Amino acid sequence: MTPDLFTRLLETFGADFRRWPEAQRQAGEAFRDATPAALAQWQAAQHLDALFVLDRAPATDPAQVRAITDAALRRLRTRPEPGFDWRLLWSTPVGAALAASLAAGLVAGFAFGPNLQPPPERGVPAVAVLLGYDVTDLDGVL
Amino acid sequence: MTLADDSDAALMRLVAGGDERAFRRLADRHLDGMLRLARKMLGSAAGADDVAQEALLRVWMHAGRWRPERSRLTTWLYTIVYRLCIDRLRGQRTEPLERALDTADPAPGAFETVARAGELRQLAVALAALPPRSRAALTLFYYQELPGPEAAAVLGVSLRAFWSLLHRARQAIQQQMLTPDPLAKASEP
């Protein structure tokens, strides 16, 4: 045990050697007992540990625990029903397939959509081009 | 009527199925620890109550997501509380310090009591001045007495990083405790 290591361990784990890494406990105690400066450091650390203990809040009043639990349950009862959770789509094979086909449709729409624009002079409906209809047959229908 | 198996794992299974009694039993068992962590993190009792209530809501809604083979329930609960506190602290960095200073004077008594009260006030100020993650490290290890690996899991850091955080936090507290208490000086005749 070196003075630096002792200081570092003390500044991390405090004065209670039971908190120290097992491999360093005995060496730490021996170093404290053999070195006056280490003993003074250890006493200061012990003082801080005692303050941590004193600073702990008293146990929470059971009535307060009940009040917080009741308030949480009240909020649960009064909250609106959740809407459809789209994440559920991915949790089943059928749902995942549906979601994937929807996504593929959207991608295809964005990718090929511009190519389906009608020439301005003829006013061809995009759906007609896509389905290969004779445009003249659909004039006035679409 | 009693719950035959009241282990955390059994109660959480019941809570996941919507059992209010099991939920209350869990709250009775763990809310105190959750509140203590939130109080130290936020420096405010009212804020801690809100966080604890919100944490209970999350427990009810996501009980099925806790895996007993992966972590102790306290680790999972404290992680929820810690993250809610961090969310709450964002954008209000100076508040814990101001609240820490708002400590009531000790009742008139022996010099030692007054001196101890002064030290506790300094400790509160020093804690509040720590970055939230360091404050959480110190609180979990010294106040909640969580073992290092569990406290590291709550903060989502490696054990090595946790020891480093803890070292810096305790060092900062020691440093702060060595500086004179300004309020004690101000109240001197």
Side-chain angles (χ1 to χ4, degrees), chain A residues 118-138:
Chain A
E121 68 279 10
R122 295 198 56 193
V124 182
V127 68
V129 175
L130 185 64
L131 300 175
Y133 292 144
D134 181 347
V135 173
T136 53
D137 294 343
L138 294 169

PDB file of all heavy atoms in Angstrom, chain A residues 118-138:
ATOM      1  N   PRO A 118     -48.650  13.110 -66.064  1.00  0.00           N
ATOM      2  CA  PRO A 118     -49.097  13.183 -67.458  1.00  0.00           C
ATOM      3  C   PRO A 118     -48.437  14.341 -68.195  1.00  0.00           C
ATOM      4  O   PRO A 118     -48.107  15.352 -67.577  1.00  0.00           O
ATOM      5  CB  PRO A 118     -50.602  13.454 -67.304  1.00  0.00           C
ATOM      6  CG  PRO A 118     -50.727  14.115 -65.981  1.00  0.00           C
ATOM      7  CD  PRO A 118     -49.641  13.556 -65.113  1.00  0.00           C
ATOM      8  N   PRO A 119     -48.233  14.145 -69.494  1.00  0.00           N
ATOM      9  CA  PRO A 119     -47.747  15.296 -70.267  1.00  0.00           C
ATOM     10  C   PRO A 119     -48.784  16.400 -70.168  1.00  0.00           C
ATOM     11  O   PRO A 119     -49.999  16.099 -70.211  1.00  0.00           O
ATOM     12  CB  PRO A 119     -47.657  14.763 -71.705  1.00  0.00           C
ATOM     13  CG  PRO A 119     -47.863  13.278 -71.620  1.00  0.00           C
ATOM     14  CD  PRO A 119     -48.494  12.977 -70.320  1.00  0.00           C
ATOM     15  N   PRO A 120     -48.389  17.604 -69.999  1.00  0.00           N
ATOM     16  CA  PRO A 120     -49.352  18.671 -69.738  1.00  0.00           C
ATOM     17  C   PRO A 120     -50.392  18.833 -70.838  1.00  0.00           C
ATOM     18  O   PRO A 120     -51.534  19.145 -70.553  1.00  0.00           O
ATOM     19  CB  PRO A 120     -48.465  19.921 -69.606  1.00  0.00           C
ATOM     20  CG  PRO A 120     -47.094  19.521 -70.018  1.00  0.00           C
ATOM     21  CD  PRO A 120     -47.012  18.042 -70.007  1.00  0.00           C
ATOM     22  N   GLU A 121     -49.997  18.586 -72.116  1.00  0.00           N
ATOM     23  CA  GLU A 121     -50.941  18.848 -73.200  1.00  0.00           C
ATOM     24  C   GLU A 121     -52.061  17.809 -73.276  1.00  0.00           C
ATOM     25  O   GLU A 121     -53.116  18.046 -73.820  1.00  0.00           O
ATOM     26  CB  GLU A 121     -50.221  18.982 -74.551  1.00  0.00           C
ATOM     27  CG  GLU A 121     -49.589  17.715 -75.105  1.00  0.00           C
ATOM     28  CD  GLU A 121     -48.226  17.413 -74.491  1.00  0.00           C
ATOM     29  OE1 GLU A 121     -47.849  18.094 -73.494  1.00  0.00           O
ATOM     30  OE2 GLU A 121     -47.532  16.531 -74.966  1.00  0.00           O
ATOM     31  N   ARG A 122     -51.817  16.602 -72.716  1.00  0.00           N
ATOM     32  CA  ARG A 122     -52.839  15.566 -72.900  1.00  0.00           C
ATOM     33  C   ARG A 122     -53.639  15.322 -71.617  1.00  0.00           C
ATOM     34  O   ARG A 122     -54.722  14.779 -71.665  1.00  0.00           O
ATOM     35  CB  ARG A 122     -52.191  14.262 -73.360  1.00  0.00           C
ATOM     36  CG  ARG A 122     -51.562  14.414 -74.730  1.00  0.00           C
ATOM     37  CD  ARG A 122     -51.303  13.085 -75.375  1.00  0.00           C
ATOM     38  NE  ARG A 122     -52.497  12.278 -75.470  1.00  0.00           N
ATOM     39  CZ  ARG A 122     -52.469  10.988 -75.760  1.00  0.00           C
ATOM     40  NH1 ARG A 122     -51.311  10.384 -75.944  1.00  0.00           N
ATOM     41  NH2 ARG A 122     -53.585  10.295 -75.843  1.00  0.00           N
ATOM     42  N   GLY A 123     -53.064  15.681 -70.510  1.00  0.00           N
ATOM     43  CA  GLY A 123     -53.813  15.512 -69.262  1.00  0.00           C
ATOM     44  C   GLY A 123     -54.112  14.052 -68.949  1.00  0.00           C
ATOM     45  O   GLY A 123     -55.232  13.706 -68.589  1.00  0.00           O
ATOM     46  N   VAL A 124     -53.126  13.164 -69.131  1.00  0.00           N
ATOM     47  CA  VAL A 124     -53.356  11.739 -68.889  1.00  0.00           C
ATOM     48  C   VAL A 124     -53.379  11.445 -67.398  1.00  0.00           C
ATOM     49  O   VAL A 124     -52.448  11.793 -66.691  1.00  0.00           O
ATOM     50  CB  VAL A 124     -52.233  10.901 -69.533  1.00  0.00           C
ATOM     51  CG1 VAL A 124     -52.494   9.411 -69.313  1.00  0.00           C
ATOM     52  CG2 VAL A 124     -52.116  11.231 -70.986  1.00  0.00           C
ATOM     53  N   PRO A 125     -54.420  10.829 -66.906  1.00  0.00           N
ATOM     54  CA  PRO A 125     -54.423  10.480 -65.481  1.00  0.00           C
ATOM     55  C   PRO A 125     -53.346   9.453 -65.168  1.00  0.00           C
ATOM     56  O   PRO A 125     -53.158   8.511 -65.940  1.00  0.00           O
ATOM     57  CB  PRO A 125     -55.812   9.892 -65.273  1.00  0.00           C
ATOM     58  CG  PRO A 125     -56.604  10.263 -66.480  1.00  0.00           C
ATOM     59  CD  PRO A 125     -55.638  10.443 -67.583  1.00  0.00           C
ATOM     60  N   ALA A 126     -52.657   9.675 -64.091  1.00  0.00           N
ATOM     61  CA  ALA A 126     -51.548   8.796 -63.720  1.00  0.00           C
ATOM     62  C   ALA A 126     -51.998   7.342 -63.598  1.00  0.00           C
ATOM     63  O   ALA A 126     -51.307   6.433 -64.028  1.00  0.00           O
ATOM     64  CB  ALA A 126     -50.942   9.266 -62.399  1.00  0.00           C
ATOM     65  N   VAL A 127     -53.171   7.137 -63.038  1.00  0.00           N
ATOM     66  CA  VAL A 127     -53.634   5.766 -62.826  1.00  0.00           C
ATOM     67  C   VAL A 127     -53.833   5.046 -64.161  1.00  0.00           C
ATOM     68  O   VAL A 127     -53.600   3.846 -64.281  1.00  0.00           O
ATOM     69  CB  VAL A 127     -54.928   5.739 -61.967  1.00  0.00           C
ATOM     70  CG1 VAL A 127     -56.092   6.328 -62.732  1.00  0.00           C
ATOM     71  CG2 VAL A 127     -55.259   4.320 -61.518  1.00  0.00           C
ATOM     72  N   ALA A 128     -54.212   5.797 -65.191  1.00  0.00           N
ATOM     73  CA  ALA A 128     -54.411   5.192 -66.496  1.00  0.00           C
ATOM     74  C   ALA A 128     -53.097   4.725 -67.085  1.00  0.00           C
ATOM     75  O   ALA A 128     -52.996   3.642 -67.657  1.00  0.00           O
ATOM     76  CB  ALA A 128     -55.078   6.199 -67.422  1.00  0.00           C
ATOM     77  N   VAL A 129     -52.071   5.551 -66.917  1.00  0.00           N
ATOM     78  CA  VAL A 129     -50.745   5.178 -67.423  1.00  0.00           C
ATOM     79  C   VAL A 129     -50.273   3.930 -66.693  1.00  0.00           C
ATOM     80  O   VAL A 129     -49.776   2.971 -67.294  1.00  0.00           O
ATOM     81  CB  VAL A 129     -49.754   6.333 -67.230  1.00  0.00           C
ATOM     82  CG1 VAL A 129     -48.349   5.895 -67.632  1.00  0.00           C
ATOM     83  CG2 VAL A 129     -50.200   7.537 -68.022  1.00  0.00           C
ATOM     84  N   LEU A 130     -50.476   3.939 -65.402  1.00  0.00           N
ATOM     85  CA  LEU A 130     -50.023   2.820 -64.584  1.00  0.00           C
ATOM     86  C   LEU A 130     -50.714   1.518 -64.994  1.00  0.00           C
ATOM     87  O   LEU A 130     -50.096   0.467 -65.081  1.00  0.00           O
ATOM     88  CB  LEU A 130     -50.335   3.134 -63.116  1.00  0.00           C
ATOM     89  CG  LEU A 130     -49.833   2.124 -62.088  1.00  0.00           C
ATOM     90  CD1 LEU A 130     -48.310   2.094 -62.115  1.00  0.00           C
ATOM     91  CD2 LEU A 130     -50.313   2.502 -60.700  1.00  0.00           C
ATOM     92  N   LEU A 131     -51.997   1.589 -65.294  1.00  0.00           N
ATOM     93  CA  LEU A 131     -52.747   0.367 -65.616  1.00  0.00           C
ATOM     94  C   LEU A 131     -52.765   0.053 -67.110  1.00  0.00           C
ATOM     95  O   LEU A 131     -53.302  -0.960 -67.538  1.00  0.00           O
ATOM     96  CB  LEU A 131     -54.188   0.500 -65.103  1.00  0.00           C
ATOM     97  CG  LEU A 131     -54.316   0.707 -63.590  1.00  0.00           C
ATOM     98  CD1 LEU A 131     -55.780   0.940 -63.213  1.00  0.00           C
ATOM     99  CD2 LEU A 131     -53.781  -0.499 -62.838  1.00  0.00           C
ATOM    100  N   GLY A 132     -52.216   0.926 -67.947  1.00  0.00           N
ATOM    101  CA  GLY A 132     -52.114   0.664 -69.381  1.00  0.00           C
ATOM    102  C   GLY A 132     -53.427   0.820 -70.147  1.00  0.00           C
ATOM    103  O   GLY A 132     -53.634   0.214 -71.189  1.00  0.00           O
ATOM    104  N   TYR A 133     -54.339   1.628 -69.614  1.00  0.00           N
ATOM    105  CA  TYR A 133     -55.606   1.834 -70.329  1.00  0.00           C
ATOM    106  C   TYR A 133     -55.430   2.778 -71.508  1.00  0.00           C
ATOM    107  O   TYR A 133     -54.549   3.625 -71.515  1.00  0.00           O
ATOM    108  CB  TYR A 133     -56.665   2.434 -69.389  1.00  0.00           C
ATOM    109  CG  TYR A 133     -57.130   1.501 -68.305  1.00  0.00           C
ATOM    110  CD1 TYR A 133     -57.436   1.985 -67.052  1.00  0.00           C
ATOM    111  CD2 TYR A 133     -57.272   0.144 -68.554  1.00  0.00           C
ATOM    112  CE1 TYR A 133     -57.879   1.147 -66.051  1.00  0.00           C
ATOM    113  CE2 TYR A 133     -57.704  -0.705 -67.556  1.00  0.00           C
ATOM    114  CZ  TYR A 133     -58.007  -0.203 -66.313  1.00  0.00           C
ATOM    115  OH  TYR A 133     -58.427  -1.038 -65.328  1.00  0.00           O
ATOM    116  N   ASP A 134     -56.318   2.625 -72.402  1.00  0.00           N
ATOM    117  CA  ASP A 134     -56.397   3.614 -73.489  1.00  0.00           C
ATOM    118  C   ASP A 134     -56.992   4.879 -72.895  1.00  0.00           C
ATOM    119  O   ASP A 134     -58.119   4.869 -72.389  1.00  0.00           O
ATOM    120  CB  ASP A 134     -57.310   3.077 -74.619  1.00  0.00           C
ATOM    121  CG  ASP A 134     -57.385   4.065 -75.775  1.00  0.00           C
ATOM    122  OD1 ASP A 134     -56.951   5.214 -75.596  1.00  0.00           O
ATOM    123  OD2 ASP A 134     -57.876   3.655 -76.822  1.00  0.00           O
ATOM    124  N   VAL A 135     -56.215   5.919 -72.969  1.00  0.00           N
ATOM    125  CA  VAL A 135     -56.600   7.145 -72.289  1.00  0.00           C
ATOM    126  C   VAL A 135     -57.941   7.678 -72.796  1.00  0.00           C
ATOM    127  O   VAL A 135     -58.760   8.173 -72.038  1.00  0.00           O
ATOM    128  CB  VAL A 135     -55.494   8.199 -72.479  1.00  0.00           C
ATOM    129  CG1 VAL A 135     -55.922   9.547 -71.929  1.00  0.00           C
ATOM    130  CG2 VAL A 135     -54.238   7.736 -71.829  1.00  0.00           C
ATOM    131  N   THR A 136     -58.159   7.505 -74.060  1.00  0.00           N
ATOM    132  CA  THR A 136     -59.385   8.084 -74.631  1.00  0.00           C
ATOM    133  C   THR A 136     -60.637   7.462 -74.009  1.00  0.00           C
ATOM    134  O   THR A 136     -61.661   8.110 -73.869  1.00  0.00           O
ATOM    135  CB  THR A 136     -59.430   7.913 -76.165  1.00  0.00           C
ATOM    136  OG1 THR A 136     -59.216   6.526 -76.430  1.00  0.00           O
ATOM    137  CG2 THR A 136     -58.389   8.761 -76.834  1.00  0.00           C
ATOM    138  N   ASP A 137     -60.499   6.155 -73.633  1.00  0.00           N
ATOM    139  CA  ASP A 137     -61.651   5.485 -73.024  1.00  0.00           C
ATOM    140  C   ASP A 137     -62.013   6.091 -71.669  1.00  0.00           C
ATOM    141  O   ASP A 137     -63.142   5.969 -71.239  1.00  0.00           O
ATOM    142  CB  ASP A 137     -61.361   3.993 -72.796  1.00  0.00           C
ATOM    143  CG  ASP A 137     -61.211   3.271 -74.112  1.00  0.00           C
ATOM    144  OD1 ASP A 137     -61.638   3.850 -75.104  1.00  0.00           O
ATOM    145  OD2 ASP A 137     -60.661   2.161 -74.103  1.00  0.00           O
ATOM    146  N   LEU A 138     -61.006   6.646 -71.040  1.00  0.00           N
ATOM    147  CA  LEU A 138     -61.236   7.143 -69.672  1.00  0.00           C
ATOM    148  C   LEU A 138     -61.516   8.627 -69.610  1.00  0.00           C
ATOM    149  O   LEU A 138     -61.817   9.146 -68.564  1.00  0.00           O
ATOM    150  CB  LEU A 138     -60.026   6.824 -68.790  1.00  0.00           C
ATOM    151  CG  LEU A 138     -59.782   5.330 -68.549  1.00  0.00           C
ATOM    152  CD1 LEU A 138     -58.435   5.134 -67.894  1.00  0.00           C
ATOM    153  CD2 LEU A 138     -60.887   4.746 -67.681  1.00  0.00           C
TER     154      LEU A 138
END
